[in-house]
Amino acid sequence: TEYNGPYGLKRYSTSEATVAATVGNGQIREKTLTMETLNPQVKAVEYAVRGPIVIKAGEIERYLQEGGKKPFTEVIKANIGDAHAMGQQPITFLRQVVALCTFPELLDSPSFPKDAKWRARRILQSCGGQSIEGMFWSYSASKGVDCIRQDIAAYIEQRDQGVPANWENIFLTTGASDGIVSILRLLVSGQAHARTGVMIPIPQYPLYSAAIAEMDAVQVNYYLDEDNCWALDVHELHRAYQTAKEHCQPRVLCIINPGNPTGQVQSKKCIKDVLHFAYEENLFVMADEVYQDNVYAPDCQFHSFKKVLYEMGPEYFNSVELASFHSSSKGYTGECGFRGGFMEIVNLDPEVKSQLVKMLSVRLCPPVTGQAAMDVIVNPPQPDEPSHGQFYKEKGLVLGALADKAKLTEHILNAVPGIKCNPVQGAMYAFPRIFIPPRAVEEAQALGMQPDMMYCLRLLEETGICVVPGSGFGQREGSYHFRMTILPSAEKLKVLLEKVHDFHIKFLNEYSALDEAQRSVS
């Protein structure tokens, strides 16, 4: 049926438009872009955190909303580290500063504290323009707003107890992932045996495997030691490096500390060993440190790779190429939607740095709201400012609750026969090992899926709990895991963990393997 759209234009129904587009001269026009013509590197990309399990969870959610019946009333999404989606309260001061930046008329409002107004004015003035409103909604410089980069340098110097930081080596990014992909693009080159090898931890965050696949680089796996609380063993780095040299040129070493999905926090000695290895083998180090505020174990402490490199002396500090990454999405703020982040580069060749600036310029700039959020994280209220008390109270409550939930998760999961969970020392995930009976493994293989994928689909369909199978992150052959966040409220997390407990025992009984499971993890 024909009808009139806006401005008097003739409009068609969807079915009529489809016919008009496909019939023409009587032959169906072939599509230019098909699965056969699609870039093969795109087809190789996988991203388990938002993969098939999450798609299925969305379908079940819609089914429940439409009145459908399941053995549960809601889907609990523990698949992704999205703090506010899980009910975490925002940090008031951060939201105040960003609100003032985006709507400067509020600078006259008595509802906002003076220290928030001062920070907003400083950011607005640094954005340029002829008035206090400045050009906040315009593009910023490609590297980011200057005063924010300067604040980040000051933050790094304070964090690293005086190790110098040059703000010209700091780049604002669209979340940490944007910076990670940008640096990888600089590093990947070569063909055949000269292709760039990128060393990544297994288990890993699938951003790395996805980016490596898209760029047609070579993924070089090094395995974390699950029996030693997911520690990084330098001997394993040597093994992986020497094996990879047979078919590629390893040039990059990626580290995630604190770990995702494994939650471990690396010791200073471990970091020193890793940096020595990178120095000896002439590797570029990429330090993913987005969880640096998320350390819960009392015997653990975050050490930045840059600070340890500095302590190793000038020979190391002036030669090892290092890029480190931080984000507004994690920590205690959990501001994922702002897409704020930054990277600091150390010892990058000046001509290569110019190429990086050129490449970032093509993307114009990161979101200015994310830049403003990042500024609050690195420049929080000081003791003599009016927002100091509330800010540190809110920060303490968030991190304290996460520490409690880390212990709760470890405690309950380790009480389940056939599940073994290492201590969640940091970050915001648990990565428990699950015993899957041989009969269940055979059934999964007959269905053409990974055993832990089948397990997680069953868990979702029977309990409404959405977690990600370990196969999406990588794991040693013959071992099975899942990743879950510890972000849900304590009450909801306890319900989640108890449902996992009951489901796992039911799953083992179904395959007559309860006794075998109890032996397998002892």
Side-chain angles (χ1 to χ4, degrees):
T1 302
E2 184 180 312
Y3 64 95
N4 289 328
Y7 317 112
L9 295 176
K10 185 178 178 181
R11 299 292 298 273
Y12 294 91
S13 72
T14 304
S15 59
E16 288 172 321
T18 302
V19 170
T22 57
V23 176
N25 62 3
Q27 293 182 341
I28 296 175
R29 181 183 178 276
E30 291 185 3
K31 292 187 181 295
T32 302
L33 184 60
T34 66
M35 286 303 290
E36 286 70 37
T37 61
L38 181 69
N39 182 340
Q41 274 72 60
V42 172
K43 285 193 276 189
V45 169
E46 295 182 4
Y47 188 65
V49 174
R50 292 178 182 257
I53 291 278
V54 185
I55 294 169
K56 182 67 176 177
E59 292 172 359
I60 293 173
E61 269 189 322
R62 287 189 292 276
Y63 176 75
L64 290 172
Q65 289 164 1
E66 292 164 1
K69 299 298 180 186
K70 288 280 184 183
F72 47 87
T73 56
E74 67 170 334
V75 173
I76 302 177
K77 289 184 178 177
N79 62 293
I80 195 165
D82 191 343
H84 296 306
M86 293 288 101
Q88 181 177 305
Q89 292 301 301
I91 299 296
T92 303
F93 187 72
L94 186 149
R95 293 287 179 92
Q96 287 173 331
V97 173
V98 175
L100 290 163
C101 287
T102 56
F103 195 64
E105 287 84 345
L106 293 173
L107 288 164
D108 296 325
S109 169
S111 300
F112 289 78
K114 291 180 180 178
D115 46 354
K117 291 179 179 179
W118 176 82
R119 280 165 178 75
R121 283 193 177 94
R122 181 166 173 268
I123 293 169
L124 291 168
Q125 288 167 346
S126 190
C127 288
Q130 303 302 311
S131 66
I132 189 63
E133 286 82 0
M135 297 169 66
F136 186 75
W137 286 111
S138 302
Y139 295 127
S140 76
S142 298
K143 295 179 183 180
V145 176
D146 283 355
C147 78
I148 299 176
R149 294 165 65 213
Q150 290 160 3
D151 287 346
I152 291 169
Y155 159 82
I156 291 171
E157 286 193 3
Q158 183 181 37
R159 180 199 68 189
D160 293 345
Q161 299 172 313
V163 177
N166 181 351
W167 69 278
E168 290 287 8
N169 290 333
I170 289 161
F171 300 79
L172 275 299
T173 57
T174 307
S177 54
D178 174 48
I180 290 165
V181 171
S182 295
I183 295 297
L184 281 173
R185 286 199 185 282
L186 294 180
L187 287 155
V188 171
S189 66
Q191 298 293 324
H193 279 68
R195 285 169 72 201
T196 296
V198 182
M199 301 182 68
I200 63 171
I202 298 296
Q204 52 105 24
Y205 176 52
L207 164 68
Y208 292 93
S209 55
I212 292 165
E214 186 181 355
M215 295 177 199
D216 199 25
V218 179
Q219 178 175 316
V220 178
N221 295 338
Y222 66 88
Y223 290 88
L224 303 177
D225 184 357
E226 182 170 13
D227 293 332
N228 192 20
C229 204
W230 297 113
L232 197 169
D233 182 358
V234 74
H235 298 295
E236 170 62 10
L237 290 180
H238 282 286
R239 181 208 61 78
Y241 178 82
Q242 293 301 329
T243 302
K245 281 183 70 176
E246 297 173 8
H247 60 271
C248 70
Q249 181 55 56
R251 299 175 63 207
V252 193
L253 175 59
C254 298
I255 312 288
I256 309 173
N257 179 50
N260 174 11
T262 47
Q264 89 286 3
V265 179
Q266 292 179 8
S267 68
K268 184 182 284 191
K269 181 186 181 303
C270 173
I271 295 171
K272 187 175 178 180
D273 289 344
V274 169
L275 288 169
H276 180 75
F277 167 77
Y279 173 85
E280 291 292 324
E281 303 298 353
N282 201 28
L283 296 172
F284 190 108
V285 178
M286 295 177 62
D288 180 340
E289 299 176 329
V290 301
Y291 297 101
Q292 59 190 256
D293 287 307
N294 300 100
V295 177
Y296 316 122
D299 56 341
C300 292
Q301 181 182 347
F302 171 75
H303 302 280
S304 78
F305 268 71
K306 183 188 173 190
K307 179 173 182 285
V308 177
L309 186 64
Y310 183 83
E311 291 171 350
M312 291 171 71
E315 183 182 0
Y316 290 88
F317 187 67
N318 294 328
S319 64
V320 174
E321 295 150 281
L322 169 71
S324 61
F325 308 91
H326 198 12
S327 169
S328 65
S329 302
K330 308 305 175 186
Y332 55 90
T333 54
E335 294 285 8
C336 298
F338 280 121
R339 304 307 297 128
F342 72 81
M343 61 181 174
E344 182 186 20
I345 57 172
V346 177
N347 294 321
L348 198 65
D349 180 281
E351 291 186 43
V352 173
K353 184 178 174 183
S354 297
Q355 294 295 311
L356 173 61
V357 173
K358 177 187 74 175
M359 195 168 66
L360 295 176
S361 298
V362 173
R363 302 182 184 186
L364 300 178
C365 72
V368 286
T369 46
Q371 295 185 50
M374 203 71 242
D375 189 69
V376 178
I377 293 169
V378 300
N379 185 22
Q382 300 303 303
D384 59 345
E385 292 183 308
S387 300
H388 182 267
Q390 181 182 9
F391 178 89
Y392 281 94
K393 180 182 178 182
E394 291 175 352
K395 176 181 177 180
L397 285 172
V398 169
L399 292 176
L402 286 170
D404 290 342
K405 289 186 285 188
K407 291 177 186 172
L408 177 72
T409 301
E410 178 196 349
H411 175 73
I412 293 181
L413 288 177
N414 280 329
V416 184
I419 295 184
K420 185 174 188 291
C421 182
N422 273 317
V424 182
Q425 297 174 333
M428 48 185 64
Y429 313 98
F431 196 67
R433 183 168 181 167
I434 51 176
F435 172 76
I436 297 183
R439 278 179 53 208
V441 172
E442 291 169 8
E443 185 176 313
Q445 290 169 343
L447 293 169
M449 67 173 68
Q450 292 286 345
D452 50 9
M453 172 64 85
M454 184 184 83
Y455 179 95
C456 290
L457 276 171
R458 288 272 307 267
L459 178 67
L460 173 63
E461 290 167 348
E462 295 179 27
T463 69
I465 293 168
C466 179
V467 297
V468 190
S471 49
F473 300 87
Q475 55 198 349
R476 284 193 182 275
E477 188 72 28
S479 70
Y480 306 106
H481 302 78
F482 64 78
R483 189 192 81 159
M484 57 165 282
T485 74
I486 60 168
L487 289 170
S489 68
E491 297 76 18
K492 190 167 283 190
L493 182 63
K494 194 169 184 183
V495 169
L496 183 159
L497 292 167
E498 287 171 351
K499 283 188 172 186
V500 169
H501 176 282
D502 295 344
F503 168 83
H504 193 75
I505 291 176
K506 176 175 172 286
F507 185 83
L508 294 176
N509 283 328
E510 180 180 338
Y511 294 97
S512 305
L514 186 58
D515 291 340
E516 189 180 353
Q518 287 172 320
R519 291 193 302 272
S520 73
V521 296
S522 59

PDB file of all heavy atoms in Angstrom, residues 47-65:
ATOM      1  N   TYR A  47      34.487 -13.076  19.599  1.00  0.00           N
ATOM      2  CA  TYR A  47      34.482 -12.259  20.816  1.00  0.00           C
ATOM      3  C   TYR A  47      33.457 -12.850  21.774  1.00  0.00           C
ATOM      4  O   TYR A  47      32.265 -12.516  21.742  1.00  0.00           O
ATOM      5  CB  TYR A  47      34.162 -10.803  20.484  1.00  0.00           C
ATOM      6  CG  TYR A  47      34.335  -9.867  21.661  1.00  0.00           C
ATOM      7  CD1 TYR A  47      35.587  -9.653  22.221  1.00  0.00           C
ATOM      8  CD2 TYR A  47      33.249  -9.204  22.211  1.00  0.00           C
ATOM      9  CE1 TYR A  47      35.749  -8.800  23.301  1.00  0.00           C
ATOM     10  CE2 TYR A  47      33.402  -8.355  23.289  1.00  0.00           C
ATOM     11  CZ  TYR A  47      34.651  -8.150  23.829  1.00  0.00           C
ATOM     12  OH  TYR A  47      34.810  -7.304  24.906  1.00  0.00           O
ATOM     13  N   ALA A  48      33.934 -13.753  22.602  1.00  0.00           N
ATOM     14  CA  ALA A  48      33.038 -14.582  23.413  1.00  0.00           C
ATOM     15  C   ALA A  48      32.214 -13.784  24.413  1.00  0.00           C
ATOM     16  O   ALA A  48      31.098 -14.174  24.763  1.00  0.00           O
ATOM     17  CB  ALA A  48      33.861 -15.637  24.165  1.00  0.00           C
ATOM     18  N   VAL A  49      32.747 -12.651  24.882  1.00  0.00           N
ATOM     19  CA  VAL A  49      32.070 -11.881  25.931  1.00  0.00           C
ATOM     20  C   VAL A  49      30.694 -11.412  25.469  1.00  0.00           C
ATOM     21  O   VAL A  49      29.781 -11.232  26.266  1.00  0.00           O
ATOM     22  CB  VAL A  49      32.960 -10.685  26.343  1.00  0.00           C
ATOM     23  CG1 VAL A  49      32.243  -9.784  27.316  1.00  0.00           C
ATOM     24  CG2 VAL A  49      34.253 -11.199  26.965  1.00  0.00           C
ATOM     25  N   ARG A  50      30.537 -11.194  24.163  1.00  0.00           N
ATOM     26  CA  ARG A  50      29.230 -10.820  23.603  1.00  0.00           C
ATOM     27  C   ARG A  50      28.818 -11.829  22.524  1.00  0.00           C
ATOM     28  O   ARG A  50      28.207 -11.467  21.526  1.00  0.00           O
ATOM     29  CB  ARG A  50      29.280  -9.407  23.024  1.00  0.00           C
ATOM     30  CG  ARG A  50      29.453  -8.309  24.060  1.00  0.00           C
ATOM     31  CD  ARG A  50      29.537  -6.948  23.406  1.00  0.00           C
ATOM     32  NE  ARG A  50      29.759  -5.873  24.365  1.00  0.00           N
ATOM     33  CZ  ARG A  50      28.835  -5.028  24.795  1.00  0.00           C
ATOM     34  NH1 ARG A  50      27.602  -5.144  24.370  1.00  0.00           N
ATOM     35  NH2 ARG A  50      29.125  -4.073  25.652  1.00  0.00           N
ATOM     36  N   GLY A  51      29.160 -13.090  22.729  1.00  0.00           N
ATOM     37  CA  GLY A  51      28.950 -14.126  21.729  1.00  0.00           C
ATOM     38  C   GLY A  51      27.613 -14.835  21.843  1.00  0.00           C
ATOM     39  O   GLY A  51      26.626 -14.277  22.340  1.00  0.00           O
ATOM     40  N   PRO A  52      27.558 -16.124  21.398  1.00  0.00           N
ATOM     41  CA  PRO A  52      26.291 -16.858  21.303  1.00  0.00           C
ATOM     42  C   PRO A  52      25.532 -16.968  22.620  1.00  0.00           C
ATOM     43  O   PRO A  52      24.292 -16.909  22.630  1.00  0.00           O
ATOM     44  CB  PRO A  52      26.731 -18.253  20.819  1.00  0.00           C
ATOM     45  CG  PRO A  52      28.067 -18.051  20.201  1.00  0.00           C
ATOM     46  CD  PRO A  52      28.706 -16.907  20.911  1.00  0.00           C
ATOM     47  N   ILE A  53      26.258 -17.138  23.732  1.00  0.00           N
ATOM     48  CA  ILE A  53      25.590 -17.254  25.032  1.00  0.00           C
ATOM     49  C   ILE A  53      24.790 -15.985  25.326  1.00  0.00           C
ATOM     50  O   ILE A  53      23.645 -16.036  25.794  1.00  0.00           O
ATOM     51  CB  ILE A  53      26.639 -17.487  26.149  1.00  0.00           C
ATOM     52  CG1 ILE A  53      27.269 -18.875  26.011  1.00  0.00           C
ATOM     53  CG2 ILE A  53      26.024 -17.307  27.531  1.00  0.00           C
ATOM     54  CD1 ILE A  53      26.468 -19.994  26.597  1.00  0.00           C
ATOM     55  N   VAL A  54      25.387 -14.836  25.049  1.00  0.00           N
ATOM     56  CA  VAL A  54      24.739 -13.559  25.360  1.00  0.00           C
ATOM     57  C   VAL A  54      23.548 -13.328  24.428  1.00  0.00           C
ATOM     58  O   VAL A  54      22.515 -12.794  24.847  1.00  0.00           O
ATOM     59  CB  VAL A  54      25.755 -12.402  25.260  1.00  0.00           C
ATOM     60  CG1 VAL A  54      25.120 -11.100  25.704  1.00  0.00           C
ATOM     61  CG2 VAL A  54      26.985 -12.712  26.109  1.00  0.00           C
ATOM     62  N   ILE A  55      23.679 -13.736  23.177  1.00  0.00           N
ATOM     63  CA  ILE A  55      22.555 -13.633  22.242  1.00  0.00           C
ATOM     64  C   ILE A  55      21.379 -14.477  22.748  1.00  0.00           C
ATOM     65  O   ILE A  55      20.231 -14.032  22.760  1.00  0.00           O
ATOM     66  CB  ILE A  55      22.987 -14.079  20.832  1.00  0.00           C
ATOM     67  CG1 ILE A  55      24.023 -13.088  20.278  1.00  0.00           C
ATOM     68  CG2 ILE A  55      21.782 -14.193  19.896  1.00  0.00           C
ATOM     69  CD1 ILE A  55      24.715 -13.563  19.016  1.00  0.00           C
ATOM     70  N   LYS A  56      21.691 -15.686  23.197  1.00  0.00           N
ATOM     71  CA  LYS A  56      20.645 -16.565  23.734  1.00  0.00           C
ATOM     72  C   LYS A  56      20.023 -15.957  24.998  1.00  0.00           C
ATOM     73  O   LYS A  56      18.794 -16.025  25.185  1.00  0.00           O
ATOM     74  CB  LYS A  56      21.255 -17.932  24.060  1.00  0.00           C
ATOM     75  CG  LYS A  56      20.259 -18.964  24.579  1.00  0.00           C
ATOM     76  CD  LYS A  56      19.269 -19.364  23.512  1.00  0.00           C
ATOM     77  CE  LYS A  56      18.346 -20.459  23.995  1.00  0.00           C
ATOM     78  NZ  LYS A  56      17.320 -20.809  22.970  1.00  0.00           N
ATOM     79  N   ALA A  57      20.843 -15.337  25.837  1.00  0.00           N
ATOM     80  CA  ALA A  57      20.327 -14.687  27.048  1.00  0.00           C
ATOM     81  C   ALA A  57      19.339 -13.590  26.689  1.00  0.00           C
ATOM     82  O   ALA A  57      18.303 -13.428  27.352  1.00  0.00           O
ATOM     83  CB  ALA A  57      21.484 -14.125  27.877  1.00  0.00           C
ATOM     84  N   GLY A  58      19.649 -12.828  25.650  1.00  0.00           N
ATOM     85  CA  GLY A  58      18.734 -11.771  25.202  1.00  0.00           C
ATOM     86  C   GLY A  58      17.415 -12.335  24.722  1.00  0.00           C
ATOM     87  O   GLY A  58      16.342 -11.760  24.999  1.00  0.00           O
ATOM     88  N   GLU A  59      17.463 -13.463  24.011  1.00  0.00           N
ATOM     89  CA  GLU A  59      16.236 -14.106  23.543  1.00  0.00           C
ATOM     90  C   GLU A  59      15.379 -14.558  24.725  1.00  0.00           C
ATOM     91  O   GLU A  59      14.147 -14.391  24.719  1.00  0.00           O
ATOM     92  CB  GLU A  59      16.581 -15.303  22.659  1.00  0.00           C
ATOM     93  CG  GLU A  59      17.235 -14.928  21.332  1.00  0.00           C
ATOM     94  CD  GLU A  59      17.742 -16.141  20.579  1.00  0.00           C
ATOM     95  OE1 GLU A  59      17.597 -17.279  21.098  1.00  0.00           O
ATOM     96  OE2 GLU A  59      18.290 -15.964  19.463  1.00  0.00           O
ATOM     97  N   ILE A  60      16.013 -15.132  25.735  1.00  0.00           N
ATOM     98  CA  ILE A  60      15.266 -15.592  26.915  1.00  0.00           C
ATOM     99  C   ILE A  60      14.667 -14.405  27.668  1.00  0.00           C
ATOM    100  O   ILE A  60      13.513 -14.468  28.125  1.00  0.00           O
ATOM    101  CB  ILE A  60      16.184 -16.431  27.830  1.00  0.00           C
ATOM    102  CG1 ILE A  60      16.567 -17.747  27.137  1.00  0.00           C
ATOM    103  CG2 ILE A  60      15.506 -16.717  29.169  1.00  0.00           C
ATOM    104  CD1 ILE A  60      17.601 -18.573  27.885  1.00  0.00           C
ATOM    105  N   GLU A  61      15.429 -13.313  27.776  1.00  0.00           N
ATOM    106  CA  GLU A  61      14.901 -12.112  28.427  1.00  0.00           C
ATOM    107  C   GLU A  61      13.637 -11.614  27.736  1.00  0.00           C
ATOM    108  O   GLU A  61      12.639 -11.292  28.391  1.00  0.00           O
ATOM    109  CB  GLU A  61      15.958 -10.998  28.415  1.00  0.00           C
ATOM    110  CG  GLU A  61      16.850 -10.973  29.625  1.00  0.00           C
ATOM    111  CD  GLU A  61      17.714  -9.717  29.659  1.00  0.00           C
ATOM    112  OE1 GLU A  61      18.179  -9.268  28.601  1.00  0.00           O
ATOM    113  OE2 GLU A  61      17.916  -9.194  30.772  1.00  0.00           O
ATOM    114  N   ARG A  62      13.676 -11.542  26.418  1.00  0.00           N
ATOM    115  CA  ARG A  62      12.498 -11.074  25.671  1.00  0.00           C
ATOM    116  C   ARG A  62      11.325 -12.037  25.851  1.00  0.00           C
ATOM    117  O   ARG A  62      10.164 -11.608  25.996  1.00  0.00           O
ATOM    118  CB  ARG A  62      12.847 -10.917  24.186  1.00  0.00           C
ATOM    119  CG  ARG A  62      13.732  -9.705  23.897  1.00  0.00           C
ATOM    120  CD  ARG A  62      13.873  -9.452  22.400  1.00  0.00           C
ATOM    121  NE  ARG A  62      14.638 -10.487  21.720  1.00  0.00           N
ATOM    122  CZ  ARG A  62      15.962 -10.513  21.662  1.00  0.00           C
ATOM    123  NH1 ARG A  62      16.688  -9.561  22.238  1.00  0.00           N
ATOM    124  NH2 ARG A  62      16.589 -11.481  21.007  1.00  0.00           N
ATOM    125  N   TYR A  63      11.616 -13.325  25.870  1.00  0.00           N
ATOM    126  CA  TYR A  63      10.576 -14.339  26.080  1.00  0.00           C
ATOM    127  C   TYR A  63       9.896 -14.134  27.437  1.00  0.00           C
ATOM    128  O   TYR A  63       8.653 -14.181  27.535  1.00  0.00           O
ATOM    129  CB  TYR A  63      11.205 -15.723  25.990  1.00  0.00           C
ATOM    130  CG  TYR A  63      10.273 -16.879  26.274  1.00  0.00           C
ATOM    131  CD1 TYR A  63       9.316 -17.279  25.345  1.00  0.00           C
ATOM    132  CD2 TYR A  63      10.368 -17.573  27.476  1.00  0.00           C
ATOM    133  CE1 TYR A  63       8.464 -18.338  25.608  1.00  0.00           C
ATOM    134  CE2 TYR A  63       9.518 -18.640  27.760  1.00  0.00           C
ATOM    135  CZ  TYR A  63       8.569 -19.018  26.818  1.00  0.00           C
ATOM    136  OH  TYR A  63       7.726 -20.074  27.085  1.00  0.00           O
ATOM    137  N   LEU A  64      10.689 -13.885  28.473  1.00  0.00           N
ATOM    138  CA  LEU A  64      10.130 -13.652  29.809  1.00  0.00           C
ATOM    139  C   LEU A  64       9.300 -12.369  29.847  1.00  0.00           C
ATOM    140  O   LEU A  64       8.231 -12.312  30.465  1.00  0.00           O
ATOM    141  CB  LEU A  64      11.249 -13.587  30.851  1.00  0.00           C
ATOM    142  CG  LEU A  64      11.983 -14.894  31.163  1.00  0.00           C
ATOM    143  CD1 LEU A  64      13.189 -14.632  32.062  1.00  0.00           C
ATOM    144  CD2 LEU A  64      11.048 -15.905  31.833  1.00  0.00           C
ATOM    145  N   GLN A  65       9.803 -11.320  29.190  1.00  0.00           N
ATOM    146  CA  GLN A  65       9.083 -10.039  29.165  1.00  0.00           C
ATOM    147  C   GLN A  65       7.732 -10.156  28.460  1.00  0.00           C
ATOM    148  O   GLN A  65       6.789  -9.423  28.770  1.00  0.00           O
ATOM    149  CB  GLN A  65       9.944  -8.975  28.482  1.00  0.00           C
ATOM    150  CG  GLN A  65      11.142  -8.537  29.304  1.00  0.00           C
ATOM    151  CD  GLN A  65      12.178  -7.781  28.491  1.00  0.00           C
ATOM    152  OE1 GLN A  65      12.006  -7.546  27.291  1.00  0.00           O
ATOM    153  NE2 GLN A  65      13.270  -7.389  29.134  1.00  0.00           N
TER     154      GLN A  65
END
